[in-house]
Amino acid sequence: MSRVSAATRMQATGVTVLVGGERAILHDASIEVRAGEVHALVGPNGAGKSTLFGVLSGDVIPRSGEVVLDGVPIGGIRPAALARARAVLLQENAVSFPFTVEQVVRMGRAPWARTGSAADDDEIVAAAMEATEVQALASRAVTSLSGGERARGALARVIAQSTGILLLDEPTAALDLKHHEDVMRLIRGRADAGMAVAIVLHDLNAALAHADRVTLLSEGRVAATGSPSEVLTAGRIEAVYGQAVDVFPHPSTGVPLIVARRGSALAPLD
Ligand code: ADP
Ligand code: MG
């Protein structure tokens, strides 16, 4: 389903991030996020996914390499303009002050204050809450919500930001089966409407089912990037995750399904 002609909205090239002045937690990593595509970023815990997201969002300054948004180096874009171009859902989206859900979603509109779009704030906030099914929670304090409810409220905030680019770090990790699929469908729909979406996922089957492109990170390096079924092979998953898996086609769609081989961390694959 990859659309090779799609416009590149964000591109990180040869990015290296050091901690403590020497250890590279990201090494020469590159990623491209295109309009009309869902780009899934996958890899084991600690592989560098959130760090690469931080670099793309402009929050983490790499030691070397470059990040551009529509061809412009991200460091040269003013914060307000950046916030109208791309929305970021951080992995840790804890809000410790008891704002209501609606107040949090409305914060997504802040970059549009004093622009022509501000007149549509109420409508956009309501639509974002509807799309993420948090209307019933609108007046609840976010501090009182379950992890999954809070995650959906946080997603509503970035949807309300009305950007052409979405960077979502594990938005589905806390969600139940239905809300997980709802969020994947929502994101798929946004990409089909022309948005550029990058999403950190642990669910490799969701990446296979919903993403156009997958980048697999391993120990700070890009192990592979390409179409989901090219990247997510049994051999590569076993090598990167240290877990034996079986991969077989879904009986009706033919989309590959990945299942951890039970009782076997690193059984030989045959
Ligand atoms: P992921 O999101 O793939 O789980 P992260 O990008 O959060 O991984 O982190 C990658 C690695 O870098 C991890 O080993 C993490 O502990 C380490 N790391 C991240 N940020 C820092 C930091 N500020 N100082 C030291 N180590 C860090
Ligand atoms: Mg992370």
Side-chain angles (χ1 to χ4, degrees), residues 29 32 44 57 59 87 115 127 148-149 156 183 195 209 225 237 239 246:
E32 223 177 288
S57 68
D59 296 332
T115 72
E149 291 167 342
V183 166
M195 289 185 71
T225 188
I237 294 166
D246 292 309

Side-chain angles (χ1 to χ4, degrees), residues 73-103:
I74 200 163
I77 304 174
R78 293 211 321 275
L82 199 54
R84 289 192 290 265
R86 60 94 180 102
V88 184
L89 181 62
L90 298 175
Q91 187 174 2
E92 323 302 345
N93 55 54
V95 177
S96 50
F97 191 84
F99 292 111
T100 67
V101 169
E102 183 170 348
Q103 284 171 328

Side-chain angles (χ1 to χ4, degrees), residues 1 21 25 28 31 34 36 41 54 72 82 98 107-108 145 148 151 195 197 204 206 223 226 228 231 253:
M1 223 195 303
I25 57 174
D28 195 21
I31 189 169
R34 302 180 191 186
L41 189 53
V72 178
L82 199 54
M107 287 172 198
L145 301 178
M195 289 185 71
V197 183
L204 302 178
V231 170
T253 64

Side-chain angles (χ1 to χ4, degrees), residues 155-187:
L155 182 64
R157 175 178 56 76
V158 297
I159 296 287
Q161 203 171 324
S162 307
T163 56
I165 303 167
L166 280 180
L167 305 176
L168 309 170
D169 195 347
E170 298 197 29
T172 56
L175 302 186
D176 65 45
L177 191 69
K178 174 193 181 290
H179 287 112
H180 182 284
E181 286 311 301
D182 282 346
V183 166
M184 292 310 301
R185 275 189 290 267
L186 172 70
I187 290 163

Side-chain angles (χ1 to χ4, degrees), residues 95-126:
V95 177
S96 50
F97 191 84
F99 292 111
T100 67
V101 169
E102 183 170 348
Q103 284 171 328
V104 167
V105 178
R106 207 165 276 281
M107 287 172 198
R109 299 301 302 157
W112 298 97
R114 291 178 299 280
T115 72
S117 303
D120 302 325
D121 281 1
D122 290 346
E123 202 178 313
I124 291 169
V125 166

